[in-house]
Amino acid sequence: MTKDINNEPFVIKTKTLIDELKAVCASYGLGNDGNEFKIISQIFLYKFLNDKFAYEVKQVKPELADVEHWEKELANIPDTEYQMLRYQMSDSTAFLLPHQLIPNLFERQNEPDFAKTVDDTLMDIAATNNDLFAVKTEDGQKIRLFDRITEFVSSKRDAFAKALFNKLVIFNFENIMGEGFDFFSTIFEYLIKDYNSDAGGKYAEYYTPHAVSKIIANILVPEPVSNKTIYDPSAGSGTLLMNLAHAIGNDKCTVYSQDISQKSSNLLRLNLVLNNLVHSIENVIQGNTMTDPYHKKDGDLRKFDYIVSNPPFKLDFSDDVETLKKKENKNRFFAGVPNVPKKAKDKMAIYTLFLQHIMHSLNATGKAAIVVPTGFITAQSGIDKKIRQKLVDNKMLAGVVSMPSNIFATTGTNVSIVFLDKENKEDVVLIDASNLGTTVKEGKNQKTLLSETEEDQIIETFTNKTEVEDFSVVVKYDDIKAKNYSLSAGQYFEVKIEYVDITAEEFDAKIKNFESNLEELFAESDTLEKEIQNNLKSLKL
């Protein structure tokens, strides 16, 4: 949906709530603590689920909408009737009991052991709704929705819980439950901005820029589709998946994902909840996609309609090499497993594994978009070249967009987006967008931002297969083979030599001018030569 300017007050209030929760954590010694992220994300999620339940129950029982203390009225409903509410509300709504609602808990904040009451409440909600909200690991274990969040503070737990609840009653989400992706994507970005960086760790998470996500979603889905499966084998917080799901329609697609990071899987779960994709949480898997791909059908790896990925480019997967090279992985990793650099194991080019996995996981009509280092599109040998050869020889390439440098503020690596399409047997679009964008400072890093007009220019040029001088070319598969399988647009741009028509008289005049200039230069040269010789003769030991 298009952003509504009337939503701005709600955006400001929601961001203020997030800032207030962070301030509470900071005042209790949790600022920049590893557990702050868990507290902020989980208490925010609890608030959202609480207000969504309130919104849904008032849809079922409109008479509650005008009651000031509706939660007390709700508590008076007979138990059998109350349990029926579960089946009358939308199936993406967490089912809460009256004593688990924020207003009722708020009234109990001065009771002894209030922190324990809060933690017990969250654990009970997680248990009741486990089938709906649990993220699974690759071995089938379930990661619960909530932790005992007050246990992250070492002292004054009751005061900490009370401070959190004093913030939760300030703002109500009920009035914006009808809003869509654009609103909640803004909130999600703000919520995780301090927790989803590339700072350290073996599996650093990168937040995919809005421009990249928008370009991918719009090129992959140029017209309405329905009943589609979408997949990301390195999902992170789910930015690419959310944009793609939004382009298709949240009720017209099913999301599948896998990521080695539990933190990322929890972020993705939160993103799915905020964007009304709760039905797909059961497909969110925390695990190693390369060694243990989870999603299967009839004993083989599942095939998908759409795949998106911004995989890690280089990481240390040296411990997994022998597993990756096993016989059962030969078809999947047809081009081979990248070497482990002897002096820098963390520089293993594992993006090539993800590329091969994605090619293997597309169904007969599947489409995909993968962010890769730009060096991939021109590498003259090795795994990169073998992958490009298969893309071209099997005619499953839609095109490539080479992005501006620093489109990711967190990495100086130039990136390109490779688009696959199993049905594209004709023209391939190559775009060089490296000269677009405006450079801005983001923290200590430089970042390139594309304007909305520039984003649309890329999308429309690709979708319409338009040739624009020094920007885009449309080529045949045979043209790519002739260029040694290069996917760089610049290698296909025509070298233009401009000719200017002049008369014979103008030509003679130019030649005479050149001759005159040469005579002057030769005369000057003779003079300088004589001066140098005279100076040499005058030198004495």
Side-chain angles (χ1 to χ4, degrees), residues 11 30 160 163 215 296 298 329 349 414 471:
V11 173
L30 292 168
F160 176 65
I215 289 166
K296 297 179 180 179
D298 300 327
N329 286 321
N414 288 346
F471 181 71

Side-chain angles (χ1 to χ4, degrees), residues 69-80:
H69 296 290
W70 63 272
E71 67 280 355
K72 297 185 185 300
E73 195 72 24
L74 186 68
N76 293 327
I77 296 176
D79 186 61
T80 303

Side-chain angles (χ1 to χ4, degrees), residues 354-374:
F354 281 92
L355 258 169
Q356 294 174 80
H357 173 78
I358 288 167
M359 292 167 67
H360 187 78
S361 301
L362 280 176
N363 64 23
T365 60
K367 297 173 175 58
I370 311 101
V371 180
V372 299
T374 293

